[in-house]
Amino acid sequence: MDLGTDTTTAIRMFLTKAVSMNGFPFEIRKTTADPYVTLTEDEILKKLEVSRVHADEGHVRDADDIVRDMRNKYGL
């Protein structure tokens, strides 16, 4: 993804922000739970059912619309 800056400038921006905040400009923490927990078949089926209900109720958006909205919002 092109964010409109080169690596050198991005690193300079990061370091400037880190110095001004006297630390990392974002939270760093150790993950204690396994983010890759395997779902059981029943859990997957329940999630799929919820997805189908949302789709049937019209609670979905076209992926092209979402991408267009993100590009407009973030100037991409």
Side-chain angles (χ1 to χ4, degrees):
M1 178 185 327
D2 182 12
L3 297 177
T5 188
D6 57 66
T7 303
T8 302
T9 302
I11 292 170
R12 185 178 297 117
M13 291 166 54
F14 166 79
L15 293 173
T16 301
K17 186 69 172 179
V19 169
S20 73
M21 295 185 70
N22 198 28
F24 285 103
F26 47 82
E27 182 180 355
I28 299 176
R29 58 188 159 144
K30 181 179 177 183
T31 303
T32 56
D34 181 5
Y36 303 105
V37 175
T38 305
L39 297 175
T40 65
E41 183 177 354
D42 286 340
E43 291 170 323
I44 293 171
L45 292 173
K46 286 178 186 176
K47 288 182 180 287
L48 286 172
E49 182 57 32
V50 169
S51 304
R52 288 185 187 107
V53 170
H54 286 170
D56 291 343
E57 294 174 350
H59 298 294
V60 294
R61 292 186 59 205
D62 186 88
D64 291 333
D65 293 339
I66 294 169
V67 170
R68 184 182 59 250
D69 290 349
M70 289 176 61
R71 287 185 174 163
N72 289 336
K73 181 175 182 177
Y74 298 107
L76 303 173

